Amino acid sequence: MLLQTKLFMPQHKEGLIHRKALIDQLDDLFKTGLAILCAPAGYGKTTLVTQWLHNKQLNHCWVSLDSRDNDAAVFWQYITAAVAKLDERFCNLSNKTTPLDTVDLNTKIDALITALIDFSRTWKSPNQLALVLDDYHVISNPVIHAQLNHFINYAPDWIKFIVTARHEPELDLPRRRVRHQVTEINSQNLRFSMTECQHFLSSRLAIDLSETSLAMLHQKTEGWIAAVQLAGLSLQRKLEKDQFIKSFSGKETLLSSYLMSEIFELQPEYIQLFLLKLATVPRFCGELAEELTGHNKSQELISTLLNQNLLIVSLDNEGRWFRFHDLFREWLENQQQRSALTDLPVLREKAARWLEKEGFIFEALDQVTKINQWQWGSRLSGLLLPDLTRNGEFTMAASIANKFPDDVVQSQPKLCFMRALDYYSREQYLEARQYAECAEQILKKAAHYPQQSLADIGLTAEENLNDLTAICLILIRQIDRCTGKPDSGPHQTSDLHLKVSSSSDVYGWTLFGLGAEQFANNELQAAKENLLTSVQVSKQKNDPFCLLSALSWLAPTLYHLGEIKAGLSLVDELTEWLTPFNPEALPNYITLDYARVIFYIEVNKLDEAKRCHYQAKEKWGHNLEPLNQLYWMFQEFQLNIALKDSDAAIKALDELEHIYSRHFKVWQFVIPSIDIFRALIQLVHGKKTPICEWADKFEASPPATNQFRFEEERIVQARALVLQERDCKDLVESIRGNAAQNNIVKRLIICDLLDAYSLGSQGDIGRAIELFQKVLTQASEHGFVRLLVSEGEPVVPLLEASIQLGIHAPYAQMILDQINQAGVPANSNDLAYADDDANHAKGSEAKAPNEQKSLVDPLSVREIQVLKLIDEGNSNKVIAATLSVAPTTIKSHIRNIYSKLGVHRRTQALAIARSYNIL
């Protein structure tokens, strides 16, 4: 007897989520003739088909299959019974209930096909008809597969076949794919998107979740509709919904019951045991499965289970590695505890040994720590340490260290260091330093340990204790920089590179630490060599994290040394080198943009600098540690000053000060103090008092600070003295001498510029121009642009005179054009690690370019007449004849003109006269 209820489509429920993309995809059935919906239980296969049929209002025949239909005769009785609903002439084909042999059944199938073809010629024939076979995965009879293939191949075109199944049916799919004769929808297509998940919960279950909780639920369920629904049903009874979702797992009651009844209990006992043992590991392959289960054809069995859509996910294109759906694995792990699986510790040890042998150290470590094998685990952790420091993987360091009890961590130097990295990444610097120091102290004692004792603390006799000590000291020094702590004697890194082998994995880091300290000590040439070597070593060791750390100091070093073009070229080269390393995952990848902006600002590519800075800030800025946040905001201040946006510059300063006050106690950075920046902002608005007051305080009691910052602040002091027309010769000479020792080109240029300003203010214009010629030579040779553009109005007369005299005229004209385009005055200076320009105080008092400027000792009317005749190209003899005076009188006038203008030659005199609008 046939069950008539199996021949009716399940009731279509109103209010279902309209899945337009899938509906459109299923429409392809009209072209292909066959649709296969293949996914595990609970992915909404049947629901989608009913929704599609309801929307299309399509004629259809429906058969809901179960295990009893695996008999060919029964199967075809249901097919013909379903078709018989179309017309009474099919009834005689479906009434026969006696068993048929295969030959008779094949004849009956052909008769059915013939009847359908004949029926298609009648007026009652539908234009389209869908024949749905729901839950076809229960059919395993190869005879039925062959017969159904035959039926699909020869049925009339107006019949479209829809098959839902939990695993791929044997319906000659490879051939049909090649011929575009099948429409396929799988679990990836059927899974809910996060938007659909939200809509389902709110419309069907009246549940509204926060964005965070919704994302977490979607991640845990992987869009598996049944899991979403069961979680929602549980949520209806929960007050703390967010907390429930955090703890939601395969152990949850409703989901657990579903997994047991719909999936696990349907499997034979040997498969159940196979699944339970495989759940010991997060991912598995055939070899590992064989090790754990003893099943000598594990790969074949896994492939079979995968094809059956038993909530197994393939992890690669080769079909070697797999995992369970996370919720299913959590459920299986729970069943391990409740079942007769008593050998779980043995399974974990087997898994750990196999994983370690194959090089999967982190996964081996996970197994080892679950069975409290601490010494073994410590050794495995040590094997992971080089990769952690190479890639800056602080999160992994935390996950490793947190697998161990704290008393174990404090006895193992590598684990201590990982715990320090964890705290460092979370900006808990006090705790980070304690663990780093603990690691250092253990290593000091370990130098006297016998080999067996080394094994007890996770070390081997082959390991270089100096290397390990070095990396601890480098972290301690970095923590000190982050907290504004002054250099601590015992932890200086200056001699570490002497103890660490150049072949060591940490050699690049020791050079980085040394270069950073040399920069702070104002030894920029030495810093450049060590940082460049650190970059090269990092490339050799494939250590992108160290490379970027070195670049963060190398870029400003090159800038101050005047190697602008080399800096830009290096950034481009390193960008290309980093490409294969998935660099955007590195915690300090933003360094590339930071370095690039330094050079973009200097060559006055302000649009590119702005785009690069703000794009990088938006993408990575929120992940920066406080020290790097501080430098990043300082660069933002520089950029806005260059862009003449005072409001944005002030805002950046406020944010910079907020970062400092929140995270630091002492201003112990290579950046000068915030007071200088605020004074310079006041100078933009013509207020010179703040910068002068700061300089007076600095002169009275210069702050204890690193040498680099001290020199940069002394330059600001010298500018303030120039502003006040006070003598700054000795101070400038001291700065120049210090800069010359390391050939710090930027400072040498500024010293010459300050001297030129002083000479000009004293009326010695000729010597001022001669010195400015040196400034132009140096600046143009090294590619500086912004350095002079940011001088603004004070430098304009010197530029105009240089152009008139033909002194680097094209370069001087370009600088002058940039100043005019930027808008006068440009009362600030861009800085790369230090704002050293208070010169703009002169700009606050400067005249407009064409406004009459006065000499200390003005020229007489006769002297101006002489000067104009000189400008016309006349000789002394012609001038004397023109003015009806003796040639000796003309020579006397010319000597007076030279003296008043502070020059020694005609060309200089004419250039200066034009700058004063005398000619």
Side-chain angles (χ1 to χ4, degrees):
M1 178 181 293
L2 299 180
L3 295 176
Q4 292 299 311
T5 52
K6 293 176 62 173
L7 303 177
F8 290 95
M9 179 181 77
Q11 183 179 2
H12 173 74
K13 297 178 181 178
E14 295 298 330
L16 292 174
I17 296 174
H18 181 66
R19 312 192 71 185
K20 183 179 184 304
L22 290 175
I23 294 292
D24 292 345
Q25 189 175 350
L26 204 47
D27 283 346
D28 288 345
L29 172 65
F30 294 124
K31 300 176 184 177
T32 61
L34 171 64
I36 304 291
L37 286 78
C38 183
Y43 271 85
K45 302 181 292 295
T46 302
T47 302
L48 176 63
V49 175
T50 60
Q51 188 180 43
W52 183 78
L53 290 173
H54 178 79
N55 287 355
K56 300 298 178 184
Q57 292 295 303
L58 196 67
N59 291 301
H60 63 273
C61 302
W62 188 286
V63 181
S64 296
L65 300 167
D66 58 43
S67 57
R68 290 172 294 182
D69 302 324
N70 206 34
D71 178 271
V74 175
F75 178 87
W76 286 104
Q77 279 184 314
Y78 275 106
I79 296 293
T80 53
V83 172
K85 292 182 175 294
L86 288 174
D87 192 86
E88 59 183 15
R89 74 184 70 188
F90 296 106
C91 293
N92 64 329
L93 294 173
S94 63
N95 287 337
K96 190 171 181 179
T97 57
T98 56
L100 299 172
D101 60 28
T102 301
V103 176
D104 289 338
L105 191 53
N106 288 340
T107 301
K108 182 178 179 180
I109 294 169
D110 285 343
L112 177 58
I113 294 172
T114 301
L116 287 168
I117 293 172
D118 291 340
F119 181 60
S120 64
R121 299 188 181 100
T122 69
W123 65 273
K124 293 183 179 180
S125 171
N127 291 327
Q128 304 282 354
L129 177 135
L131 175 55
V132 181
L133 302 179
D134 194 26
D135 287 340
Y136 188 77
H137 55 270
V138 299
I139 305 300
S140 59
N141 189 334
V143 173
I144 296 178
H145 297 324
Q147 291 169 338
L148 183 58
N149 259 319
H150 177 78
F151 185 58
I152 293 171
N153 289 338
Y154 294 101
D157 289 343
W158 52 271
I159 297 182
K160 309 300 179 183
F161 295 88
I162 301 177
V163 177
T164 73
R166 295 184 183 179
H167 56 78
E168 190 173 288
E170 297 181 26
L171 295 177
D172 201 9
L173 293 183
R175 177 180 62 84
R176 297 185 190 280
R177 288 177 183 130
V178 170
R179 297 182 179 183
H180 304 289
Q181 293 177 339
V182 61
T183 299
E184 295 185 86
I185 296 176
N186 58 29
S187 56
Q188 282 297 104
N189 306 129
L190 288 163
R191 65 194 296 267
F192 270 167
S193 66
M194 196 155 77
T195 301
E196 289 173 326
C197 184
Q198 179 185 33
H199 187 191
F200 177 84
L201 291 172
S202 60
S203 63
R204 298 299 302 278
L205 301 174
I207 295 173
D208 291 319
L209 297 177
S210 67
E211 186 175 343
T212 301
S213 292
L214 180 66
M216 187 181 299
L217 179 62
H218 185 260
Q219 180 185 11
K220 287 188 173 188
T221 61
E222 299 181 39
W224 180 18
I225 298 173
V228 173
Q229 181 172 8
L230 293 170
L233 292 173
S234 298
L235 278 168
Q236 287 182 319
R237 305 192 300 270
K238 305 293 182 181
L239 295 177
E240 297 292 334
K241 291 181 170 51
D242 292 347
Q243 188 59 41
F244 171 78
I245 290 175
K246 286 181 182 178
S247 61
F248 180 69
S249 71
K251 301 175 185 178
E252 200 278 326
T253 305
L254 293 180
L255 182 58
S256 178
S257 299
Y258 181 84
L259 290 169
M260 176 65 80
S261 61
E262 289 294 325
I263 297 176
F264 194 71
E265 285 185 341
L266 300 179
Q267 309 306 315
E269 188 174 338
Y270 81 97
I271 294 294
Q272 292 179 1
L273 185 60
F274 186 79
L275 295 173
L276 287 171
K277 289 187 175 183
L278 273 189
T280 305
V281 289
R283 64 179 188 136
F284 48 86
C285 62
E287 300 96 315
L288 179 54
E290 190 170 326
E291 182 74 20
L292 293 174
T293 67
H295 195 290
N296 59 6
K297 292 186 177 180
S298 292
Q299 182 68 38
E300 294 179 19
L301 185 53
I302 292 170
S303 297
T304 300
L305 297 177
L306 180 69
N307 290 334
Q308 292 179 1
N309 270 322
L310 203 63
L311 292 177
I312 294 176
V313 180
S314 179
L315 297 176
D316 54 41
N317 294 328
E318 292 76 29
R320 182 169 185 241
W321 285 96
F322 309 87
R323 70 171 175 88
F324 292 115
H325 188 293
D326 287 343
L327 292 175
F328 188 42
R329 179 168 181 261
E330 289 168 356
W331 182 84
L332 288 170
E333 285 183 311
N334 192 43
Q335 294 305 305
Q336 286 178 335
Q337 309 297 328
R338 302 171 63 179
S339 67
L341 195 63
T342 57
D343 58 344
L344 187 56
V346 176
L347 287 173
R348 293 201 184 282
E349 185 169 341
K350 283 183 178 181
R353 296 199 183 283
W354 187 91
L355 290 164
E356 181 182 1
K357 183 185 69 169
E358 296 297 321
F360 302 114
I361 306 302
F362 185 80
E363 290 163 282
L365 174 64
D366 186 53
Q367 298 296 327
V368 165
T369 52
K370 285 179 178 176
I371 52 177
N372 299 338
Q373 295 276 4
W374 305 128
Q375 189 171 328
W376 186 4
S378 179
R379 179 176 61 79
L380 292 176
S381 299
L383 297 176
L384 294 168
L385 186 56
D387 281 339
L388 295 179
T389 55
R390 182 177 294 115
N391 299 314
E393 295 179 351
F394 300 134
T395 303
M396 182 175 281
S399 67
I400 291 173
N402 292 337
K403 293 177 183 293
F404 296 83
D406 196 57
D407 59 330
V408 174
V409 171
Q410 294 192 37
S411 68
Q412 310 284 314
K414 292 181 181 179
L415 291 176
C416 259
F417 181 74
M418 290 182 191
R419 183 66 62 81
L421 284 178
D422 173 30
Y423 280 120
Y424 173 80
S425 68
R426 292 188 281 131
E427 302 167 14
Q428 297 181 18
Y429 297 121
L430 176 62
E431 294 83 354
R433 203 176 198 281
Q434 289 173 347
Y435 277 98
E437 287 181 332
C438 179
E440 180 200 1
Q441 294 303 315
I442 297 172
L443 290 167
K444 281 184 178 178
K445 296 176 183 177
H448 309 289
Y449 285 0
Q451 184 172 348
Q452 182 56 44
S453 297
L454 287 176
D456 291 340
I457 60 172
L459 303 176
T460 65
E462 292 76 26
E463 288 188 280
N464 189 316
L465 298 184
N466 283 331
D467 290 359
L468 297 173
T469 303
I471 201 69
C472 291
L473 292 176
I474 290 167
L475 179 60
I476 290 171
R477 185 65 194 97
Q478 181 66 10
I479 293 169
D480 288 345
R481 279 192 284 266
C482 286
T483 55
K485 187 173 182 180
D487 293 349
S488 45
H491 299 304
Q492 289 282 352
T493 56
S494 57
D495 63 342
L496 283 178
H497 70 294
L498 301 176
K499 299 178 182 179
V500 175
S501 166
S502 60
S503 62
S504 166
D505 285 338
V506 302
Y507 186 60
W509 282 105
T510 61
L511 293 172
F512 152 75
L514 178 60
E517 287 195 355
Q518 288 169 330
F519 184 100
N521 290 333
N522 206 44
E523 301 166 6
L524 266 62
Q525 286 291 347
K528 169 192 164 183
E529 296 304 319
N530 284 306
L531 291 168
L532 275 174
T533 306
S534 177
V535 167
Q536 296 306 317
V537 170
S538 299
K539 290 171 72 175
Q540 294 168 10
K541 301 287 184 183
N542 287 328
D543 190 343
F545 186 50
C546 181
L547 180 144
L548 288 169
S549 298
L551 180 63
S552 68
W553 290 94
L554 180 56
T557 300
L558 294 176
Y559 167 73
H560 281 276
L561 293 176
E563 300 184 28
I564 311 299
K565 294 179 181 177
L568 274 171
S569 177
L570 179 66
V571 172
D572 290 340
E573 173 195 330
L574 297 183
T575 301
E576 183 177 353
W577 182 84
L578 285 163
T579 301
F581 292 91
N582 186 24
E584 294 191 11
L586 294 166
N588 57 347
Y589 181 63
I590 198 172
T591 299
L592 279 174
D593 295 297
Y594 179 80
R596 188 173 279 111
V597 171
I598 286 176
F599 300 116
Y600 276 169
I601 291 176
E602 183 50 49
V603 298
N604 220 37
K605 292 184 177 180
L606 299 184
D607 288 340
E608 291 94 326
K610 184 177 181 180
R611 175 188 53 77
C612 183
H613 176 87
Y614 285 101
Q615 282 183 356
K617 181 183 177 183
E618 183 177 352
K619 197 165 186 179
W620 293 290
H622 60 284
N623 291 325
L624 292 177
E625 63 186 39
L627 181 65
N628 287 331
Q629 287 180 27
L630 187 141
Y631 281 101
W632 194 258
M633 288 309 303
F634 173 68
Q635 187 175 80
E636 191 164 315
F637 166 76
Q638 295 175 273
L639 180 58
N640 285 312
I641 284 293
L643 292 167
K644 307 299 176 188
D645 191 341
S646 295
D647 290 340
I650 292 171
K651 184 178 179 182
L653 272 188
D654 291 341
E655 180 62 24
L656 191 154
E657 191 162 21
H658 172 72
I659 295 167
Y660 165 70
S661 61
R662 180 180 176 186
H663 296 284
F664 305 98
K665 295 180 180 179
V666 181
W667 189 271
Q668 191 66 28
F669 314 111
V670 294
I671 305 172
S673 70
I674 294 179
D675 292 340
I676 291 177
F677 307 147
R678 295 208 181 278
L680 289 173
I681 291 289
Q682 293 295 311
L683 199 57
V684 169
H685 300 289
K687 298 177 182 178
K688 63 182 182 180
T689 302
I691 198 69
C692 296
E693 290 179 346
W694 174 87
D696 291 340
K697 292 178 183 177
F698 179 83
E699 186 176 15
S701 55
T705 181
N706 60 72
Q707 193 62 29
F708 181 91
R709 172 189 161 193
F710 181 64
E711 288 300 302
E712 295 296 291
E713 291 180 337
R714 288 213 298 164
I715 290 176
V716 179
Q717 181 191 12
R719 288 191 179 280
L721 293 177
V722 171
L723 178 68
Q724 299 171 78
E725 298 185 358
R726 293 169 55 188
D727 181 21
C728 64
K729 183 176 180 181
D730 290 343
L731 176 58
V732 172
E733 281 304 308
S734 174
I735 296 169
R736 180 184 282 111
N738 190 299
Q741 290 180 5
N742 283 278
N743 194 30
I744 304 176
V745 173
K746 181 192 173 204
R747 272 191 216 146
L748 291 173
I749 293 173
I750 292 172
C751 286
D752 289 340
L753 191 58
L754 291 174
D755 280 345
Y757 286 153
S758 293
L759 289 169
S761 67
Q762 296 165 16
D764 195 346
I765 307 299
R767 289 179 59 197
I769 290 178
E770 288 177 358
L771 197 53
F772 189 64
Q773 179 177 357
K774 183 180 176 184
V775 169
L776 291 178
T777 300
Q778 288 264 68
S780 61
E781 178 183 329
H782 291 278
F784 285 105
V785 176
R786 190 75 211 159
L787 182 66
L788 294 183
V789 171
S790 60
E791 295 290 320
E793 183 63 17
V795 81
V796 168
L798 292 170
L799 287 168
E800 290 175 340
S802 298
I803 293 167
Q804 291 291 331
L805 294 169
I807 301 171
H808 295 287
Y811 175 73
Q813 187 64 57
M814 181 269 292
I815 297 295
L816 186 59
D817 291 344
Q818 295 280 6
I819 291 174
N820 292 333
Q821 289 171 13
V824 181
N827 291 306
S828 184
N829 187 341
D830 90 293
L831 312 158
Y833 268 108
D835 187 320
D836 47 31
D837 293 297
N839 61 292
H840 310 292
K842 293 295 288 183
S844 67
E845 298 179 336
K847 306 289 189 296
N850 296 319
E851 185 178 338
Q852 178 66 50
K853 291 175 275 191
S854 60
L855 293 170
V856 175
D857 188 2
L859 300 182
S860 67
V861 173
R862 177 62 79 178
E863 287 167 346
I864 292 174
Q865 287 177 326
V866 170
L867 196 58
K868 287 182 178 179
L869 289 169
I870 291 173
D871 188 34
E872 292 173 0
N874 298 304
S875 65
N876 288 357
K877 185 176 180 180
V878 172
I879 295 172
T882 302
L883 297 178
S884 302
V885 296
T888 54
T889 303
I890 295 303
K891 288 183 179 180
S892 177
H893 285 317
I894 290 175
R895 282 196 300 270
N896 290 337
I897 291 170
Y898 284 178
S899 175
K900 291 180 179 181
L901 296 180
V903 299
H904 306 288
R905 295 188 296 276
R906 283 191 173 203
T907 53
Q908 290 181 340
L910 294 172
I912 297 304
R914 288 192 180 91
S915 72
Y916 281 89
N917 291 325
I918 295 172
L919 296 177

